Amino acid sequence: MATIADDHISALQTMIYERSDYDTFWTQVREVAAPDASDFAMPGTLGARSNLIREASAARNSKNLYDTTAVNCVDRLASGIEALIVPQSEYWHGYGLSDWTKEDETDEEKLFLERLRNLTFKLRYDSDTSWVTTIQTCIRRCIAFGNAFMFLEEGWDRRAFFRYIYLPLPECYIAENKYHQVDQFKRVYSLTARQAVQKFGDRVSPSIKKAADDPTRANERFQFIHCIGPRGDYGMPSSGVRKSPWYSLHIEFNDRRVVGESGYFEFPIIDFRWMPEPGRVYGEGPIMKCLADIQSLNQLARNELIAGNQAVNPPLLVSDAGVVSRPNTAPGAISYGGLNAQGQRRVDTLFHGQRLDFATMVLEAKRNQVKESMYINLFALLIKNPQMSATEAMIRANEKGELLGPAGSRLQQSLSNMNERELGIIVRKGLLTKPGWEPPRSMTGANVSAQFTSPLDRYRKGKEVEGTLQLLNTLAPLAQVEPTIVDNLDGDEMVRGLAHRLGMPVKFVRQLPQVQTLRSQRQQQQQMAATAAIAKDMAAASKSGVDALSGMNQMGAA
């Protein structure tokens, strides 16, 4: 009778078969664009995949790489996307309420959500979480292969609340639900016998226990499968370990037994997929879309290298009669028999008139074509034209946001799923029940979701800022002729809207009650100043009247 372990292994075998075509192309991508990535060239059967643990050597894998344009493009585009979507120097997302009946949050709610955002960033960027290195690797792999997977683990010690772990693509297999969302994940990995006993204890098979007890076999590797999915699949009960909605099983492959079982309150796998096509589970990155150009570029670079060697050290044509020895091509050497009695050469080069400059032109054109496909020229606009005006720079920024918007939106969708799990961990850790961290009463029962404020989002909203500034510049001369046209503008909403779109912190903007109090005080001060001025004028007039009356009385007496 088939066990639950057999069912998961059978499902994994199907996933491996369905992904075999991707593995073929990913191997080609690795050869020309990501030589430091893990190896995909594995046999299709699960039992032969024990060497997944071995890390690829970039030096070894790049021995047939003659042009590094694609490798450099991956790194540069990854740096650009990191700066646009998840920059380390600023808050690239905030929080908002998922309540469509409310037009906007109150100032009190905004301040609390901003504090919550600051707390999340503080926990995320802690040095023990490995967030920075993990997200950088995920972005690079997503660009190269179209897919990257991150495991967001809940920290159970005091050093870190979150732990971000990059999972090598060759180990990971996924499946989607009816909404085309990844809800099943299987990972093939290996542990030494000693590690397996430390992790799973007595639940491992007798063969692993025996190997762990033998000093000569303690580091022998065994295969395991980590399976994650919604409870109810594969006959899993709807309320299992920790009564969590997502099950987690660790299966020992050789013995086909479950050695670890737990669960998650949120789906812990963050899938970064580069704009997957409908009907396809895995994404296809920009490298895969221009793979043919990159491969031809690599071949052209190889041919140019061969042609250069032939030009510097050309092959020779030598007569088979009358030449006493092989020509000596060393500097200052003498080759006897190289000339006949008439002074004609008996040794000549095989090739003449090679156009290395033409090969260089073709290579450069092909490199530019690859860079266009990788958006590299888009990032170089400001570098090529440093004297660009502010208006032109804003237009270029809008263009950058429009071109990278689709891919950025897909990555931000994954980041939103990650943020949902982070918030769940924060709530379960009880951070929001500590004194001073209680949410406002108006937020009782409300759902909090991420709202992205990265440079890419500001580029998208740049047209709103640009349109506002253009309107103000247009109205300035008209307002001098007809001042009442300014009554059409709501200055308070304009200032708050521009502050939000330009990324100004909420605490830098006064709350509306504070603004009203300030204006009321200013109005009272103005009224008091006006009253004082009137009283002063009346006192002066009264004094002038008294002086005039006194003068008249003196004249009458005289």
Side-chain angles (χ1 to χ4, degrees):
M1 181 178 179
T3 64
I4 188 171
D6 293 326
D7 292 339
H8 280 282
I9 292 175
S10 176
L12 176 60
Q13 295 284 10
T14 302
M15 290 179 175
I16 293 175
Y17 174 76
E18 292 177 347
R19 209 188 73 174
S20 57
D21 287 341
Y22 281 97
D23 287 342
T24 301
F25 288 106
W26 288 340
T27 300
Q28 299 177 22
V29 169
R30 174 175 171 268
E31 293 173 352
V32 295
D36 58 334
S38 300
D39 193 1
F40 291 92
M42 302 285 183
T45 58
L46 182 64
R49 301 178 70 89
S50 60
N51 56 347
L52 278 174
I53 193 66
R54 298 176 184 173
E55 291 296 333
S57 170
R60 182 182 69 249
N61 296 332
S62 60
K63 62 182 180 181
N64 294 323
L65 185 62
Y66 299 95
D67 188 274
T68 59
T69 299
V71 178
N72 297 333
C73 284
V74 169
D75 289 337
R76 291 188 63 183
L77 181 56
S79 299
I81 288 181
E82 181 186 3
L84 286 177
I85 299 179
V86 287
Q88 300 182 40
S89 59
E90 59 182 283
Y91 297 111
W92 42 267
H93 76 80
Y95 289 117
L97 300 182
S98 303
D99 187 355
W100 308 115
T101 61
K102 296 180 61 175
E103 186 174 350
D104 199 4
E105 295 89 1
T106 64
D107 289 337
E108 184 184 14
E109 293 170 345
K110 288 181 179 179
L111 286 174
F112 173 80
L113 293 173
E114 186 174 90
R115 291 185 63 202
L116 180 60
R117 178 204 65 183
N118 297 346
L119 173 64
T120 304
F121 271 80
K122 182 178 180 180
L123 297 176
R124 179 187 298 145
Y125 280 88
D126 186 270
S127 59
D128 292 323
T129 64
S130 302
W131 158 256
V132 174
T133 55
T134 301
I135 189 62
Q136 289 174 345
T137 304
C138 286
I139 293 175
R140 288 201 307 272
R141 295 296 179 256
C142 187
I143 292 172
F145 302 105
N147 303 270
F149 299 99
M150 174 196 297
F151 178 55
L152 176 49
E153 185 179 20
E154 182 174 349
W156 293 104
D157 53 32
R158 295 183 179 180
R159 298 191 63 184
F161 277 70
F162 314 132
R163 294 191 183 278
Y164 304 89
I165 303 172
Y166 168 73
L167 303 178
L169 182 56
E171 300 179 359
C172 304
Y173 298 87
I174 57 175
E176 295 179 331
N177 59 17
K178 62 181 180 181
Y179 302 109
H180 304 289
Q181 299 169 335
V182 175
D183 69 336
Q184 286 189 5
F185 178 83
K186 289 179 172 51
R187 178 192 174 202
V188 181
Y189 67 102
S190 65
L191 296 174
T192 65
R194 176 172 170 268
Q195 292 172 337
V197 172
Q198 290 175 344
K199 185 176 180 65
F200 302 115
D202 294 335
R203 301 189 68 174
V204 298
S205 64
S207 59
I208 294 182
K209 293 179 183 178
K210 183 178 180 181
D213 294 335
D214 186 350
T216 62
R217 297 183 59 201
N219 291 324
E220 181 180 343
R221 292 197 168 273
F222 294 85
Q223 284 186 300
F224 296 87
I225 307 170
H226 187 194
C227 305
I228 302 174
R231 295 196 182 276
D233 290 355
Y234 300 96
M236 294 292 293
S238 58
S239 59
V241 178
R242 299 167 58 191
K243 296 183 178 180
S244 53
W246 301 91
Y247 69 79
S248 172
L249 297 178
H250 290 269
I251 299 173
E252 182 184 337
F253 173 71
N254 289 337
D255 203 58
R256 293 178 177 257
R257 67 165 61 192
V258 176
V259 294
E261 183 177 359
S262 61
Y264 303 101
F265 289 97
E266 303 88 15
F267 192 58
I269 302 300
I270 314 302
D271 63 293
F272 296 93
R273 295 182 291 169
W274 191 281
M275 295 187 296
E277 294 292 330
R280 300 179 184 177
V281 177
Y282 297 95
E284 297 183 9
I287 285 290
M288 292 189 66
K289 295 179 180 179
C290 61
L291 180 59
D293 289 331
I294 296 173
Q295 290 174 330
S296 62
L297 174 60
N298 192 58
Q299 185 63 36
L300 286 172
R302 179 178 181 274
N303 293 339
E304 185 193 35
L305 181 62
I306 294 174
N309 289 332
Q310 290 174 345
V312 175
N313 188 18
L316 302 178
L317 295 175
V318 181
S319 173
D320 61 352
V323 179
V324 296
S325 62
R326 178 184 178 86
N328 189 346
T329 58
I334 299 175
S335 296
Y336 294 97
L339 297 177
N340 59 17
Q342 291 76 29
Q344 296 175 339
R345 292 188 177 187
R346 291 183 174 179
V347 179
D348 196 5
T349 58
L350 178 61
F351 301 109
H352 293 279
Q354 289 177 296
R355 291 286 306 278
L356 295 180
D357 58 331
F358 177 76
T360 302
M361 291 172 54
V362 174
L363 271 175
E364 196 61 31
K366 184 64 72 173
R367 288 190 181 107
N368 288 332
Q369 188 174 350
V370 172
K371 291 178 181 178
E372 286 286 347
S373 301
M374 297 292 293
Y375 307 96
I376 300 303
N377 293 339
L378 183 63
F379 289 95
L381 287 174
L382 295 178
I383 298 177
K384 292 180 179 178
N385 188 9
Q387 304 300 326
M388 189 181 301
S389 65
T391 303
E392 186 178 359
M394 184 175 293
I395 295 174
R396 294 298 186 185
N398 292 338
E399 180 184 0
K400 186 184 297 185
E402 291 172 356
L403 292 177
L404 292 176
S409 298
R410 183 60 188 84
L411 296 178
Q412 286 179 335
Q413 180 180 343
S414 301
L415 293 172
S416 180
N417 297 335
M418 179 194 75
N419 195 260
E420 180 181 350
R421 175 155 172 78
E422 290 172 336
L423 285 177
I425 294 174
I426 289 175
V427 172
R428 286 193 297 275
K429 294 290 187 182
L431 292 184
L432 300 186
T433 60
K434 296 183 179 298
W437 278 98
E438 297 85 357
R441 292 185 178 181
S442 58
M443 292 180 57
T444 303
N447 292 324
V448 177
S449 60
Q451 294 183 351
F452 292 95
T453 58
S454 66
L456 180 62
D457 294 277
R458 293 202 298 271
Y459 289 158
R460 292 168 176 164
K461 298 176 181 178
K463 288 188 176 181
E464 297 180 5
V465 178
E466 180 185 357
T468 303
L469 297 179
Q470 287 180 352
L471 176 62
L472 294 177
N473 291 332
T474 304
L475 291 181
L478 298 178
Q480 297 178 1
V481 180
E482 181 57 48
T484 57
I485 63 174
V486 183
D487 297 338
N488 292 282
L489 302 179
D490 188 337
D492 290 341
E493 287 297 327
M494 188 182 303
V495 170
R496 292 177 177 276
L498 289 176
H500 173 70
R501 284 158 179 76
L502 294 175
M504 179 180 290
V506 175
K507 61 183 179 182
F508 287 3
V509 182
R510 287 192 177 97
Q511 299 184 27
L512 284 177
Q514 294 176 330
V515 174
Q516 294 172 358
T517 301
L518 184 63
R519 288 174 176 173
S520 177
Q521 292 174 353
R522 185 183 299 117
Q523 185 177 6
Q524 291 177 2
Q525 292 173 358
Q526 291 174 351
Q527 290 176 353
M528 292 174 61
T531 302
I534 293 174
K536 183 178 179 181
D537 292 341
M538 291 179 63
S542 176
K543 185 176 182 302
S544 298
V546 170
D547 291 343
L549 181 61
S550 176
M552 290 175 62
N553 292 333
Q554 291 177 0
M555 290 176 62

